[in-house]
Amino acid sequence: MAGGSSDHVVLFPYMSKGHTIPLLQFGRLLLRHGRSRDKPITVTVFTTPKNEPFVSKSLSDTPDANIISLPFPENIPGIPPGVESTDKLPSMSLFVPFTRATKLLQPFFEHSLLNLPRVSFIVSDGFLWWISDSASKFDIPRLAFYGMNCYSGAVSISVRLNELFSQPQPVEPVAVPDFPWIRVRKSDLDPVFTDPSPSGPLFELVMEQIKSTSTSQGVITNTFYELEPVFVDYRQRMGGPKAWCVGPFCLSEPPMKPDNDHTGDKPAWIRWLDRSLEEGRPVLYVAFGTQAEISDDQFKEIALGLEHSEVNFLWVTRRDMGEVEEGLEERVRGMVVREWVDQREILRHDSVRGFLSHCGWNSALETICAAVPVIAWPMMAEQPLNAKMLVEELKIGVRVETEDGSVKGFVGREELSKKVKELMEGEKGRMAREKVKEYAEMAKKSMEEGSGSSWKNLDLLLHELCGCS
């Protein structure tokens, strides 16, 4: 590999926007650090052709970021032609074959490494387990990124080590041995952590990812120490690769430009939020990410619950509501958006007073940094633990309860309406709003140049892997 005068970091995000966005934000953070020191940092991002436009647009104002597109494999059994990201999959049941197929990118990735300037280290998504082998071949340090907090990891590890669900358990929550104030249900965790004898394609893939991570030089963690000190310390005590808390990454992006004086240049939903603010109408932002699979019946019930709450809402969904939508916006002064939106811009709008969210970690951090309390409705993966953290640990919101107590259970309109009113109009909402303001300030301080805990952690990481100070 050719030499270079700057430190050079390679980023390889998993092909899912929820994984790609924070790693691109981390790239911005690296570039910002580079500008603050004598030796600059350059960043190369690997992606695939159909993901490249999104990556390019996200980094269009960062000339020190290079993008390399690798050909995504074709003719994958079960995967429709042209699908290169999980949000385009017909069902998340195809997650395993889709993820397995990424290994076919390995020879193209390694060929590209041969022609790059010297690489200081690689940060790749933990789902791309095979990159650890490539890094080893080229003697390049590799760090994994999973886009999770330390709370969910610590609770999952404690449950597994203590075999908390080794025997059939009732649906009632039980105390976590290492954190006795936390009570979890079996359905709150992935079966990998609760099944005494896990097996199958998903388990095999997860084990390969865990093994790959165990050989890495660390794990990049999108959180800040002050948010979850007990759980960060627990993760470090358990040994293994160090968790480097260097977030929130969303604060690495430049401040939003002032609103254009010409209102016609603003997106329609921002103009609607502006009018809501002028008229003194607090708004509930509603979004469940790109991966949530919601049944037709549940979808209708959400609409009816929002209508019954009589709260003004901005609902972002790519789904066609059909007859559900007819007259809905007029009846409740709501707005439905089916386009890709700048979620941070929405959350930071002064009219937005609450967020009905699936509790993906990116959304959780964005709502914390925007000082907006949450109505937690987890639907998959580690989201139930994220919801517990936000509601029970941080006390910055309320949680929607399903009818049968399970994560994937049905939520009735009465329950949803009740929790919406509780957050937007009740005492719990007021207290959550005050609490989240405190964490928003902590987040901002953690990223302050030279003095913030996350800034200092990244300094230490760069010193360890690049020898720079």
Side-chain angles (χ1 to χ4, degrees):
M1 291 181 287
S5 59
S6 62
D7 289 309
H8 180 205
V9 180
V10 162
L11 306 179
F12 204 146
Y14 181 67
M15 299 79 185
S16 171
K17 285 189 173 63
H19 290 240
T20 298
I21 290 171
L23 211 46
L24 297 181
Q25 292 170 340
F26 177 67
R28 285 181 174 276
L29 184 59
L30 288 170
L31 294 172
R32 179 182 162 198
H33 260 70
R35 290 190 291 270
S36 72
R37 58 179 71 245
D38 293 335
K39 193 175 185 183
I41 295 174
T42 58
V43 170
T44 296
V45 180
F46 280 85
T47 187
T48 65
K50 284 191 166 56
N51 292 298
E52 183 175 4
F54 178 80
V55 173
S56 297
K57 183 177 179 181
S58 300
L59 298 176
S60 59
D61 60 338
T62 55
D64 292 326
N66 307 306
I67 301 170
I68 296 178
S69 185
L70 305 179
F72 196 83
E74 300 177 352
N75 303 317
I76 308 166
I79 307 298
V83 171
E84 297 183 10
S85 59
T86 58
D87 58 298
K88 300 296 184 182
L89 290 173
S91 168
M92 283 306 292
S93 64
L94 296 170
F95 166 75
V96 172
F98 178 86
T99 305
R100 284 286 186 194
T102 65
K103 192 176 190 308
L104 298 175
L105 295 168
Q106 187 169 7
F108 301 103
F109 177 62
E110 293 179 359
H111 179 74
S112 296
L113 287 179
L114 284 170
N115 299 304
L116 284 178
R118 184 187 65 83
V119 177
S120 304
F121 61 93
I122 297 171
V123 180
S124 60
D125 196 286
F127 286 2
L128 305 177
W129 78 98
W130 47 269
I131 288 183
S132 63
D133 291 334
S134 298
S136 179
K137 288 180 186 178
F138 289 86
D139 196 27
I140 301 171
R142 180 255 184 174
L143 298 99
F145 171 73
Y146 282 97
M148 296 168 58
N149 53 45
C150 287
Y151 174 96
S152 59
V155 171
S156 298
I157 291 169
S158 180
V159 166
R160 184 64 182 170
L161 291 179
N162 290 282
E163 299 181 345
L164 194 58
F165 295 105
S166 59
Q167 301 296 325
Q169 297 285 341
V171 295
E172 288 74 19
V174 295
V176 178
D178 294 313
F179 313 104
W181 66 93
I182 299 174
R183 300 176 68 82
V184 296
R185 293 186 177 97
K186 190 173 184 177
S187 62
D188 287 334
L189 295 103
D190 191 284
V192 170
F193 297 99
T194 60
D195 191 334
S197 302
S199 61
L202 177 59
F203 171 73
E204 293 169 1
L205 176 63
V206 170
M207 288 300 101
E208 289 192 57
Q209 293 167 349
I210 291 175
K211 181 180 178 181
S212 168
T213 300
S214 70
T215 63
S216 299
Q217 277 68 36
V219 177
I220 297 296
T221 308
N222 188 11
T223 189
F224 56 103
Y225 181 78
E226 294 83 357
L227 186 68
E228 44 177 343
V230 171
F231 307 99
V232 175
D233 291 343
Y234 177 86
R235 288 289 304 275
Q236 309 297 30
R237 289 199 308 272
M238 297 309 294
K242 180 176 179 178
W244 292 93
C245 300
V246 290
F249 297 163
C250 59
L251 294 184
S252 68
E253 293 189 323
M256 291 175 293
K257 296 177 181 179
D259 288 336
N260 196 302
D261 291 337
H262 304 288
T263 58
D265 294 337
K266 298 180 184 179
W269 55 90
I270 295 298
R271 297 199 302 272
W272 184 84
L273 289 174
D274 288 344
R275 289 196 299 272
S276 298
L277 183 62
E278 291 171 1
E279 296 170 9
R281 295 186 286 112
V283 174
L284 174 70
Y285 172 53
V286 182
F288 300 110
T290 58
Q291 308 297 333
E293 297 181 341
I294 302 173
S295 69
D296 291 343
D297 288 342
Q298 182 64 88
F299 200 74
K300 292 178 182 178
E301 203 72 7
I302 294 171
L304 292 170
L306 290 172
E307 180 177 354
H308 186 261
S309 73
E310 299 182 340
V311 168
N312 301 287
F313 64 84
L314 175 66
W315 187 357
V316 176
T317 176
R318 296 189 179 186
R319 187 165 174 169
D320 184 2
M321 292 188 175
E323 62 181 26
V324 174
E325 188 178 357
E326 292 181 11
L328 181 65
E329 293 173 284
E330 291 78 10
R331 289 195 302 273
V332 295
R333 292 185 177 179
M335 183 176 187
V336 179
V337 180
R338 293 191 191 83
E339 303 173 53
W340 179 261
V341 301
D342 185 338
Q343 180 162 284
R344 290 174 63 239
E345 185 177 14
I346 290 173
L347 287 170
R348 290 186 178 189
H349 197 283
D350 288 339
S351 68
V352 175
R353 303 296 303 280
F355 183 13
L356 174 56
S357 171
H358 63 308
C359 296
W361 188 237
N362 293 335
S363 292
L365 275 179
E366 288 175 355
T367 203
I368 288 170
C369 292
V372 174
V374 67
I375 302 173
W377 186 349
M379 297 183 177
M380 60 183 291
E382 86 283 2
Q383 293 167 11
L385 294 179
N386 293 344
K388 290 184 73 66
M389 178 185 179
L390 298 178
V391 175
E392 300 174 15
E393 202 74 27
L394 303 181
K395 303 186 187 307
I396 60 170
V398 298
R399 180 164 178 173
V400 170
E401 298 294 342
T402 59
E403 291 180 351
D404 63 3
S406 70
V407 172
K408 296 185 181 297
F410 192 79
V411 175
R413 69 192 74 173
E414 295 84 3
E415 166 66 9
L416 179 57
S417 176
K418 174 186 173 183
K419 293 301 167 65
V420 169
K421 290 181 178 179
E422 202 171 275
L423 186 85
M424 299 295 286
E425 303 170 0
E427 179 63 14
K428 283 188 178 179
R430 186 194 67 77
M431 294 174 65
R433 200 162 284 110
E434 290 302 313
K435 198 70 179 175
V436 76
K437 288 178 182 177
E438 297 176 14
Y439 287 113
E441 188 60 28
M442 290 182 194
K444 182 179 178 181
K445 288 182 177 179
S446 75
M447 296 291 281
E448 287 181 353
E449 185 171 332
S451 60
S453 61
S454 292
W455 185 274
K456 289 180 178 179
N457 279 337
L458 188 52
D459 272 343
L460 291 171
L461 173 64
L462 293 171
H463 179 73
E464 184 172 306
L465 296 182
C466 304
C468 49
S469 58

